[in-house]
C-alpha cells in the first residue's frame, strides 16, 4: 500500500511518536512517516525538524510525522552509509536511470 500523506496518529504521542518538539533530540534516529524512511535529526526549529541521511540528503518535516527510530531503522541507515561510501570510492559507478525516464 502506497501512502501519499502521513497517516493519522492516535493519542498525544502517536504510535511511539513525540508529544512535543522538545522530545526530539539532535542526533537521534527517527522515522519520517511522510518520507517513509529513517533519518537523523540535524536540528529542531520549533515544530519543524531538519533531518538528514548518510548520503547528504536533507529535508524538513513536522515533528508529528516522526516516530522514534527502531533498531531496524538504525540498521537501514548504517547500510545506506556503507553503500554510499562504496559508491563514492568507485569512480566508475554511475547511476542507472529508471525505466521510462530520461536523464
Amino acid at each position: 500500500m502506497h501512502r501519499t500523506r502521513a497517516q493519522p496518529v492516535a493519542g498525544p504521542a502517536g504510535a511511539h511518536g513525540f508529544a512535543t518538539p522538545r522530545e526530539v533530540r539532535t542526533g537521534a534516529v527517527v522515522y519520517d512517516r511522510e518520507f517513509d524512511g529513517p533519518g537523523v535529526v540535524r536540528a529542531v526549529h520549533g515544530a519543524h525538524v531538519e533531518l538528514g541521511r548518510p548520503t547528504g540528503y536533507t529535508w524538513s518535516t513536522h515533528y508529528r510525522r516522526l516516530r522514534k527510530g527502531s533498531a531496524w531503522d538504525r540498521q537501514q541507515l548504517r547500510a545506506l552509509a556503507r553503500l554510499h561510501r562504496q559508491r563514492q570510492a568507485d569512480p566508475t559507478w554511475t547511476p542507472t536511470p529508471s525505466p521510462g525516464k530520461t536523464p
Side-chain angles (χ1 to χ4, degrees):
M1 176 175 132
H2 180 70
R3 293 174 289 153
T4 56
R5 296 179 50 124
Q7 297 297 315
V9 182
H16 307 289
F18 300 96
T20 69
R22 291 181 185 191
E23 294 178 4
V24 182
R25 299 285 179 221
T26 302
V29 173
V30 296
Y31 185 89
D32 183 345
R33 293 178 183 110
E34 186 169 317
F35 181 75
D36 201 23
V40 176
V41 177
R42 296 169 48 99
V44 180
H45 306 287
H48 291 276
V49 180
E50 183 182 334
L51 302 173
R53 289 176 61 98
T55 59
Y57 180 77
T58 61
W59 73 100
S60 181
T61 191
H62 195 277
Y63 81 95
R64 289 191 180 180
R65 294 183 178 136
L66 302 175
R67 68 163 169 77
K68 297 172 184 173
S70 65
W72 178 258
D73 298 327
R74 289 186 291 278
Q75 181 180 339
Q76 279 187 298
L77 288 175
R78 283 192 302 271
L80 182 59
R82 187 172 51 249
L83 177 62
H84 184 67
R85 281 192 307 272
Q86 290 170 349
R87 287 183 174 172
Q88 293 297 309
D90 182 2
T92 63
W93 182 86
T94 56
T96 312
S98 299
K101 299 204 177 194
T102 57

